[in-house]
Amino acid sequence: RDAGPLASRPVTLKFLLDTYGKNREIPYGKISLYCEGCKLLCKEPNEYRKASETTGKLSWDQRMRIAARIAAMTIFSKNEAIIYDDSISAKENEITIYSLCGGKEHTKEIEFNITEEAIKETLGIGGLFNSRGSGRMGWVHHTYAEFLAAWYLSQNKIPLNQVKSLIYHPSGAIVPLLHGVTSWLCAMDKDVYKEVCKTDPEILLFSDLMNISEADREILVGTFMEQYNKKKLWDRPAMSHLRRLNHSKLGDQLRPYITEKGNSILARQT
Protein backbone atom coordinates (compact mmCIF):
# COMPACT_ATOMS: atom_id res chain seq x y z
CA ARG A 1 0.00 0.00 0.00
CA ASP A 2 3.08 2.29 -0.09
CA ALA A 3 2.48 3.00 3.59
CA GLY A 4 6.07 2.62 4.79
CA PRO A 5 6.28 6.14 6.31
CA LEU A 6 3.06 5.44 8.27
CA ALA A 7 4.48 2.15 9.55
CA SER A 8 7.56 3.94 10.92
CA ARG A 9 5.62 5.67 13.75
CA PRO A 10 4.06 3.72 16.67
CA VAL A 11 0.68 5.49 16.53
CA THR A 12 0.20 5.02 12.78
CA LEU A 13 1.71 1.52 12.82
CA LYS A 14 -0.95 0.57 15.38
CA PHE A 15 -3.59 2.06 13.06
CA LEU A 16 -2.31 -0.10 10.16
CA LEU A 17 -2.21 -3.23 12.35
CA ASP A 18 -5.70 -2.60 13.74
CA THR A 19 -7.04 -2.00 10.23
CA TYR A 20 -5.49 -5.24 9.02
CA GLY A 21 -6.70 -7.11 12.09
CA LYS A 22 -10.34 -6.32 11.42
CA ASN A 23 -10.50 -7.60 7.82
CA ARG A 24 -7.18 -9.41 7.26
CA GLU A 25 -6.36 -6.73 4.70
CA ILE A 26 -5.77 -3.00 4.40
CA PRO A 27 -8.73 -1.98 2.22
CA TYR A 28 -8.15 1.76 1.91
CA GLY A 29 -6.49 3.66 -0.92
CA LYS A 30 -3.35 5.72 -0.27
CA ILE A 31 -5.33 8.94 0.19
CA SER A 32 -7.50 7.43 2.93
CA LEU A 33 -4.47 5.86 4.60
CA TYR A 34 -2.42 9.06 4.65
CA CYS A 35 -5.38 11.24 5.62
CA GLU A 36 -6.20 9.01 8.58
CA GLY A 37 -2.51 8.64 9.47
CA CYS A 38 -1.87 12.42 9.47
CA LYS A 39 -5.04 12.93 11.50
CA LEU A 40 -3.77 10.50 14.17
CA LEU A 41 -0.34 12.19 14.24
CA CYS A 42 -2.02 15.59 14.71
CA LYS A 43 -3.99 14.17 17.66
CA GLU A 44 -0.88 12.69 19.30
CA PRO A 45 0.62 14.60 22.27
CA ASN A 46 3.69 16.48 21.09
CA GLU A 47 6.89 17.86 22.52
CA TYR A 48 5.94 21.54 22.23
CA ARG A 49 2.79 21.09 24.33
CA LYS A 50 4.67 18.93 26.85
CA ALA A 51 7.44 21.53 27.18
CA SER A 52 4.97 24.37 27.69
CA GLU A 53 2.87 22.22 30.07
CA THR A 54 -0.29 22.94 28.08
CA THR A 55 -2.69 20.83 26.10
CA GLY A 56 -2.35 23.24 23.18
CA LYS A 57 -4.80 25.83 21.94
CA LEU A 58 -5.48 24.19 18.59
CA SER A 59 -7.73 21.27 17.72
CA TRP A 60 -6.25 18.36 15.75
CA ASP A 61 -7.94 19.49 12.52
CA GLN A 62 -6.54 23.03 12.94
CA ARG A 63 -3.06 21.58 13.39
CA MET A 64 -3.53 19.42 10.29
CA ARG A 65 -4.66 22.43 8.27
CA ILE A 66 -1.60 24.46 9.38
CA ALA A 67 0.69 21.50 8.67
CA ALA A 68 -0.78 21.37 5.16
CA ARG A 69 -0.14 25.10 4.69
CA ILE A 70 3.48 24.59 5.80
CA ALA A 71 3.73 21.64 3.38
CA ALA A 72 2.50 23.70 0.42
CA MET A 73 4.82 26.60 1.23
CA THR A 74 7.89 24.37 1.65
CA ILE A 75 7.23 22.01 -1.28
CA PHE A 76 6.42 24.66 -3.89
CA SER A 77 9.21 27.02 -2.79
CA LYS A 78 11.80 24.19 -2.57
CA ASN A 79 12.49 24.83 1.13
CA GLU A 80 13.59 21.94 3.34
CA ALA A 81 13.83 23.53 6.80
CA ILE A 82 11.79 25.99 8.87
CA ILE A 83 13.65 28.51 11.05
CA TYR A 84 11.83 29.22 14.32
CA ASP A 85 14.66 30.96 16.22
CA ASP A 86 14.80 34.78 15.80
CA SER A 87 18.58 34.84 16.19
CA ILE A 88 19.20 32.57 13.18
CA SER A 89 19.29 33.82 9.59
CA ALA A 90 17.70 31.63 6.92
CA LYS A 91 20.07 30.05 4.41
CA GLU A 92 19.27 28.67 0.97
CA ASN A 93 16.35 26.20 1.02
CA GLU A 94 15.19 27.47 4.43
CA ILE A 95 12.09 29.47 5.30
CA THR A 96 11.45 31.55 8.43
CA ILE A 97 8.48 31.00 10.68
CA TYR A 98 7.34 34.57 9.93
CA SER A 99 6.93 33.71 6.25
CA LEU A 100 4.41 31.04 7.29
CA CYS A 101 2.38 33.37 9.52
CA GLY A 102 -0.41 35.74 8.57
CA GLY A 103 -3.87 35.43 7.12
CA LYS A 104 -6.44 32.87 8.14
CA GLU A 105 -7.24 29.20 7.63
CA HIS A 106 -10.50 27.37 8.23
CA THR A 107 -11.79 23.95 9.21
CA LYS A 108 -15.40 23.34 8.24
CA GLU A 109 -17.05 26.57 9.40
CA ILE A 110 -14.39 27.69 11.90
CA GLU A 111 -11.93 30.38 10.76
CA PHE A 112 -8.75 31.03 12.75
CA ASN A 113 -5.65 33.26 12.56
CA ILE A 114 -2.25 31.83 11.63
CA THR A 115 0.00 33.21 14.36
CA GLU A 116 3.59 32.44 15.34
CA GLU A 117 2.26 30.50 18.33
CA ALA A 118 0.01 28.38 16.09
CA ILE A 119 2.91 27.57 13.75
CA LYS A 120 5.14 26.57 16.68
CA GLU A 121 2.46 24.33 18.16
CA THR A 122 2.06 22.62 14.78
CA LEU A 123 5.83 22.20 14.34
CA GLY A 124 5.73 20.29 17.64
CA ILE A 125 3.90 17.36 16.02
CA GLY A 126 6.63 14.78 16.47
CA GLY A 127 5.22 12.40 13.87
CA LEU A 128 5.39 15.04 11.12
CA PHE A 129 8.33 17.28 12.04
CA ASN A 130 11.76 16.74 13.59
CA SER A 131 14.82 18.83 14.40
CA ARG A 132 17.23 19.83 11.63
CA GLY A 133 19.77 21.37 13.98
CA SER A 134 19.75 24.47 16.14
CA GLY A 135 16.53 26.47 15.71
CA ARG A 136 15.43 24.45 12.67
CA MET A 137 12.64 21.97 11.99
CA GLY A 138 11.92 19.82 8.93
CA TRP A 139 9.64 17.03 7.73
CA VAL A 140 10.06 13.56 9.22
CA HIS A 141 9.35 12.08 5.78
CA HIS A 142 9.05 13.82 2.42
CA THR A 143 5.87 11.90 1.52
CA TYR A 144 4.01 13.58 4.40
CA ALA A 145 4.87 16.98 2.94
CA GLU A 146 3.89 15.89 -0.58
CA PHE A 147 0.55 14.45 0.52
CA LEU A 148 -0.36 17.44 2.71
CA ALA A 149 0.67 19.98 0.04
CA ALA A 150 -1.61 18.26 -2.49
CA TRP A 151 -4.38 17.97 0.12
CA TYR A 152 -4.05 21.69 0.86
CA LEU A 153 -4.56 22.64 -2.81
CA SER A 154 -7.48 20.23 -3.07
CA GLN A 155 -9.15 21.49 0.12
CA ASN A 156 -8.82 25.09 -1.07
CA LYS A 157 -10.16 24.19 -4.54
CA ILE A 158 -7.24 25.87 -6.32
CA PRO A 159 -8.14 26.34 -10.04
CA LEU A 160 -6.50 24.04 -12.60
CA ASN A 161 -4.53 26.84 -14.31
CA GLN A 162 -3.02 27.88 -10.99
CA VAL A 163 -2.14 24.27 -10.12
CA LYS A 164 -0.47 23.88 -13.54
CA SER A 165 1.58 27.03 -12.93
CA LEU A 166 2.93 25.39 -9.76
CA ILE A 167 3.85 21.94 -11.12
CA TYR A 168 4.76 22.49 -14.79
CA HIS A 169 8.12 23.69 -16.08
CA PRO A 170 7.99 26.23 -18.96
CA SER A 171 9.22 23.38 -21.21
CA GLY A 172 5.83 21.70 -20.77
CA ALA A 173 6.90 18.83 -18.46
CA ILE A 174 6.27 18.36 -14.74
CA VAL A 175 9.13 19.71 -12.61
CA PRO A 176 11.07 16.55 -11.54
CA LEU A 177 11.14 17.56 -7.85
CA LEU A 178 7.34 17.83 -7.93
CA HIS A 179 6.58 14.36 -9.32
CA GLY A 180 5.55 13.11 -5.87
CA VAL A 181 3.12 15.91 -5.05
CA THR A 182 1.76 15.73 -8.62
CA SER A 183 0.91 12.03 -8.24
CA TRP A 184 -1.11 12.89 -5.11
CA LEU A 185 -2.85 15.77 -6.92
CA CYS A 186 -3.82 13.43 -9.77
CA ALA A 187 -5.52 11.10 -7.30
CA MET A 188 -7.43 14.00 -5.71
CA ASP A 189 -8.38 16.01 -8.80
CA LYS A 190 -9.65 14.45 -12.05
CA ASP A 191 -8.85 17.59 -14.06
CA VAL A 192 -5.20 17.44 -12.97
CA TYR A 193 -5.21 13.69 -13.73
CA LYS A 194 -6.41 14.27 -17.31
CA GLU A 195 -3.82 17.01 -17.86
CA VAL A 196 -0.90 14.91 -16.57
CA CYS A 197 -2.11 11.88 -18.54
CA LYS A 198 -1.41 13.83 -21.74
CA THR A 199 2.10 14.99 -20.82
CA ASP A 200 3.67 12.74 -18.13
CA PRO A 201 1.67 9.49 -17.90
CA GLU A 202 4.46 7.64 -16.06
CA ILE A 203 3.85 9.81 -12.97
CA LEU A 204 0.36 8.32 -12.71
CA LEU A 205 1.83 4.86 -12.04
CA PHE A 206 2.77 6.17 -8.59
CA SER A 207 -0.68 7.67 -8.02
CA ASP A 208 -3.64 6.20 -6.15
CA LEU A 209 -5.78 4.96 -9.06
CA MET A 210 -8.52 3.41 -6.91
CA ASN A 211 -10.99 6.20 -7.70
CA ILE A 212 -10.17 6.33 -11.41
CA SER A 213 -12.78 4.80 -13.77
CA GLU A 214 -12.02 1.87 -16.08
CA ALA A 215 -12.42 4.20 -19.06
CA ASP A 216 -9.75 6.53 -17.65
CA ARG A 217 -7.40 3.59 -17.03
CA GLU A 218 -7.89 2.49 -20.62
CA ILE A 219 -6.98 5.99 -21.83
CA LEU A 220 -3.92 6.01 -19.55
CA VAL A 221 -2.71 2.64 -20.86
CA GLY A 222 -3.14 3.90 -24.44
CA THR A 223 -1.13 7.06 -23.75
CA PHE A 224 1.48 5.10 -21.84
CA MET A 225 2.00 2.49 -24.59
CA GLU A 226 2.02 5.13 -27.32
CA GLN A 227 4.84 6.99 -25.58
CA TYR A 228 6.83 3.75 -25.21
CA ASN A 229 6.28 2.95 -28.89
CA LYS A 230 7.47 6.43 -29.94
CA LYS A 231 10.49 6.05 -27.64
CA LYS A 232 9.48 9.01 -25.48
CA LEU A 233 9.69 6.75 -22.39
CA TRP A 234 12.63 4.45 -21.68
CA ASP A 235 12.44 3.17 -18.09
CA ARG A 236 10.50 -0.04 -17.54
CA PRO A 237 8.10 0.34 -14.61
CA ALA A 238 7.86 -2.14 -11.74
CA MET A 239 5.21 -4.87 -11.99
CA SER A 240 3.63 -3.63 -8.75
CA HIS A 241 2.96 -0.28 -10.47
CA LEU A 242 1.68 -1.83 -13.70
CA ARG A 243 -0.93 -3.82 -11.77
CA ARG A 244 -2.71 -0.57 -11.00
CA LEU A 245 -3.57 -0.18 -14.70
CA ASN A 246 -5.74 -3.30 -14.85
CA HIS A 247 -9.10 -2.96 -16.61
CA SER A 248 -11.56 -5.30 -18.35
CA LYS A 249 -10.37 -4.52 -21.92
CA LEU A 250 -6.65 -4.65 -21.15
CA GLY A 251 -5.94 -7.84 -23.13
CA ASP A 252 -7.52 -6.50 -26.31
CA GLN A 253 -5.71 -3.17 -25.86
CA LEU A 254 -2.26 -4.75 -25.42
CA ARG A 255 -2.47 -7.55 -27.98
CA PRO A 256 -1.60 -5.38 -31.04
CA TYR A 257 1.55 -4.09 -29.34
CA ILE A 258 2.70 -7.67 -28.64
CA THR A 259 1.88 -9.23 -32.01
CA GLU A 260 3.04 -6.42 -34.31
CA LYS A 261 6.81 -6.90 -34.72
CA GLY A 262 7.24 -3.38 -36.09
CA ASN A 263 6.49 -1.89 -32.66
CA SER A 264 9.21 -0.76 -30.28
CA ILE A 265 10.80 -3.71 -28.43
CA LEU A 266 10.42 -1.80 -25.15
CA ALA A 267 6.71 -1.26 -25.81
CA ARG A 268 6.27 -4.98 -26.59
CA GLN A 269 8.17 -6.03 -23.47
CA THR A 270 6.20 -3.62 -21.31
Side-chain angles (χ1 to χ4, degrees):
R1 295 291 187 269
D2 295 327
L6 297 176
S8 68
R9 299 291 300 182
V11 64
T12 41
L13 174 60
K14 184 178 185 303
F15 154 64
L16 292 174
L17 291 172
D18 289 346
T19 302
Y20 182 82
K22 289 175 185 175
N23 306 301
R24 306 307 295 171
E25 65 176 356
I26 299 177
Y28 308 107
K30 276 179 69 177
I31 292 176
S32 298
L33 280 175
Y34 268 76
C35 201
E36 185 62 24
C38 288
K39 177 173 137 182
L40 289 171
L41 292 173
C42 288
K43 286 182 175 180
E44 191 181 23
N46 66 55
E47 296 306 316
Y48 175 77
R49 296 198 294 279
K50 286 178 184 175
S52 59
E53 298 182 347
T54 66
T55 57
K57 296 179 181 179
L58 303 172
S59 61
W60 71 264
D61 50 347
Q62 287 175 321
R63 289 194 287 272
M64 185 162 167
R65 190 73 182 208
I66 296 172
R69 169 196 268 230
I70 296 171
M73 293 183 74
T74 52
I75 286 288
F76 294 115
S77 61
K78 301 178 185 177
N79 287 302
E80 298 172 359
I82 301 110
I83 306 294
Y84 63 87
D85 187 334
D86 296 346
S87 64
I88 297 176
S89 298
K91 299 177 183 177
E92 188 177 0
N93 298 327
E94 295 181 340
I95 190 171
T96 66
I97 197 170
Y98 303 108
S99 300
L100 303 171
C101 297
K104 299 177 183 293
E105 293 291 346
H106 62 86
T107 56
K108 296 179 181 177
E109 297 178 358
I110 300 173
E111 195 171 65
F112 56 99
N113 295 317
I114 305 303
T115 63
E116 181 183 345
E117 193 72 6
I119 297 288
K120 284 183 176 179
E121 182 176 329
T122 303
L123 289 174
I125 301 172
L128 293 179
F129 300 98
N130 58 14
S131 175
R132 293 295 175 87
S134 178
R136 293 171 172 83
M137 297 294 284
W139 291 94
V140 166
H141 201 282
H142 198 59
T143 56
Y144 289 138
E146 291 174 331
F147 165 74
L148 286 169
W151 184 80
Y152 186 77
L153 298 191
S154 175
Q155 291 290 303
N156 283 293
K157 296 180 172 56
I158 304 299
L160 178 61
N161 283 341
Q162 195 171 348
V163 173
K164 286 171 64 176
S165 73
L166 289 170
I167 63 176
Y168 276 94
H169 187 270
S171 66
I174 304 292
V175 175
L177 287 173
L178 299 179
H179 280 193
V181 70
T182 300
S183 72
W184 284 111
L185 281 167
C186 289
M188 297 177 189
D189 189 317
K190 287 188 177 180
D191 290 334
V192 178
Y193 170 89
K194 289 176 182 176
E195 206 62 41
V196 174
C197 183
K198 299 174 192 173
T199 60
D200 301 76
E202 71 275 19
I203 290 176
L204 298 174
L205 288 177
F206 300 92
S207 185
D208 185 350
L209 298 177
M210 287 191 68
N211 297 321
I212 303 301
S213 68
E214 284 225 334
D216 284 335
R217 290 186 200 191
E218 186 177 353
I219 292 170
L220 176 56
V221 170
T223 306
F224 194 63
M225 294 308 301
E226 185 181 351
Q227 293 215 9
Y228 266 119
N229 211 26
K230 291 181 177 178
K231 299 181 180 179
K232 291 182 178 179
L233 291 177
W234 291 96
D235 295 329
R236 289 185 62 181
M239 185 67 76
S240 59
H241 293 143
L242 288 176
R243 287 194 183 100
R244 301 174 186 179
L245 300 174
N246 192 28
H247 63 83
S248 58
K249 299 178 182 178
L250 186 61
D252 293 335
Q253 189 176 19
L254 295 181
R255 191 168 290 109
Y257 285 98
I258 300 170
T259 57
E260 178 51 61
K261 293 184 179 180
N263 288 326
S264 156
I265 186 63
L266 189 55
R268 297 179 72 202
Q269 289 173 342
T270 302

